[in-house]
Amino acid sequence: MVGSLLWARGLKKQFSSGNEPVSVLQDLSLQLEPGQSLALTGRSGSGKSTLLNILCGLERPDAGSVGVLGETFDTRNPEALKKAEARWGNLRRQQIGVVFQEANLMPALSLLDNVRLRARLAGQDEQDCQDWLERLGIGELANRYPDQVSGGQRQRAALAMVFAMKPALILADEPTGSLDRQTAESVIEQLFELQARHGCGLILATHDPDLASRCNRHLDLGHLPVP
Ligand SMILES: Nc1ncnc2c1ncn2[C@@H]1O[C@H](COP(=O)(O)OP(=O)(O)O)[C@@H](O)[C@H]1O
Ligand SMILES: [Mg+2]
């Protein structure tokens, strides 16, 4: 565990559905070293998004602990966990690039300004932001606002934002779900190329077995949550 980019031990998470508790994660552990990629698979509803949200600190587990980039977040100490949430926020700004299923861009900023803002918050150079948009095939849309482009184009802008951060860890939740096959392949090529070039860690939630097989390791959440 020591020296790992990311580790999780004994994670548990329940939600309630009506009056019934539904157990989504039960004693889940994982580990990721720098430069490694891990595919997270499992049927819809098996807890992939919940796990990614816990790993980046957007959701609290009911039990267990997470270590990311030298910080430890332990549910056994609620006071410390509360303080840790601010540090987790800093990590998400600077070192953890999160790609959600639906791109969340600032609506009042152009695509290019969204990428620039993300680079600036991460302390990175803004020079190559236009270049990231070009590489993702949406360079000519740089001055458009998010509501003036398609869902797939917004998702590519969200990926450009993550690339421009030069993060140590990328958590990607079905990032190509809204893209056509050809665009998805080109985006995935760039994701793996970036990961290899910068040696960052990658956890990729995906339904696609071909895509999962390109990762170094594979964790199947498989089952549906049990009541
Ligand atoms: N905030 C929530 N409140 C209640 N149930 C939730 C919440 N978030 C997720 N769930 C439930 O947890 C299960 C796992 O969801 P999710 O992590 O989104 O799965 P996946 O990403 O693998 O499709 C689903 O049954 C979902 O309905
Ligand atoms: Mg999901």
Side-chain angles (χ1 to χ4, degrees):
M1 259 162 39
V2 175
S4 294
L5 181 62
L6 171 81
W7 56 263
R9 287 289 169 270
L11 292 181
K12 292 187 182 160
K13 184 72 184 176
Q14 283 193 341
F15 290 111
S16 44
S17 163
N19 289 331
E20 294 297 313
V22 177
S23 183
V24 178
L25 302 176
Q26 303 154 72
D27 202 17
L28 185 134
S29 298
L30 62 83
Q31 194 165 329
L32 189 77
E33 308 303 330
Q36 268 190 342
S37 54
L38 173 71
L40 202 58
T41 57
R43 291 156 63 182
S44 185
S46 60
K48 302 181 295 298
S49 298
T50 302
L51 177 57
L52 290 179
N53 286 338
I54 288 173
L55 295 177
C56 71
L58 288 174
E59 193 138 32
R60 275 196 198 188
D62 299 324
S65 50
V66 174
V68 54
L69 291 151
E71 299 274 7
T72 301
F73 306 98
D74 191 336
T75 48
R76 283 172 304 186
N77 187 341
E79 266 314 299
L81 196 62
K82 210 167 165 192
K83 287 191 190 137
E85 270 163 9
R87 300 202 303 278
W88 229 321
N90 285 336
L91 287 177
R92 278 197 305 278
R93 257 186 302 284
Q94 293 167 359
Q95 302 206 61
I96 308 177
V98 186
V99 189
F100 296 100
Q101 275 172 283
E102 297 291 330
N104 55 345
L105 309 184
M106 303 277 277
L109 296 181
S110 68
L111 301 191
L112 179 58
D113 284 341
N114 266 283
V115 182
R116 282 187 178 145
L117 176 64
R118 186 64 74 87
R120 198 176 328 134
L121 289 172
Q124 296 294 337
D125 203 343
E126 292 174 49
Q127 296 296 327
D128 54 2
C129 290
Q130 175 70 34
D131 195 40
W132 282 118
L133 291 174
E134 308 278 349
R135 291 179 61 171
L136 287 156
I138 50 169
E140 76 284 7
L141 304 178
N143 294 320
R144 296 238 195 130
Y145 290 88
D147 66 356
Q148 297 172 326
V149 301
S150 72
Q153 289 162 340
R154 276 195 293 278
Q155 190 62 328
R156 282 188 270 169
L159 280 152
M161 288 161 72
V162 164
F163 291 170
M165 287 174 68
K166 302 198 174 72
L169 172 65
I170 299 177
L171 303 179
D173 195 351
E174 304 190 42
T176 55
S178 62
L179 304 179
D180 63 82
R181 196 185 157 88
Q182 201 180 355
T183 308
E185 278 171 12
S186 118
V187 161
I188 286 297
E189 281 312 317
Q190 304 213 37
L191 187 58
F192 281 107
E193 189 202 311
L194 178 93
Q195 193 230 344
R197 183 143 41 99
H198 293 287
C200 55
L202 169 68
I203 300 188
L204 180 65
T206 179
H207 282 295
D208 180 347
D210 290 339
L211 194 48
S213 70
R214 294 189 53 172
C215 292
N216 304 125
R217 286 173 37 228
H218 186 182
L219 177 66
D220 187 9
L221 296 183
H223 57 277
L224 283 174
V226 287

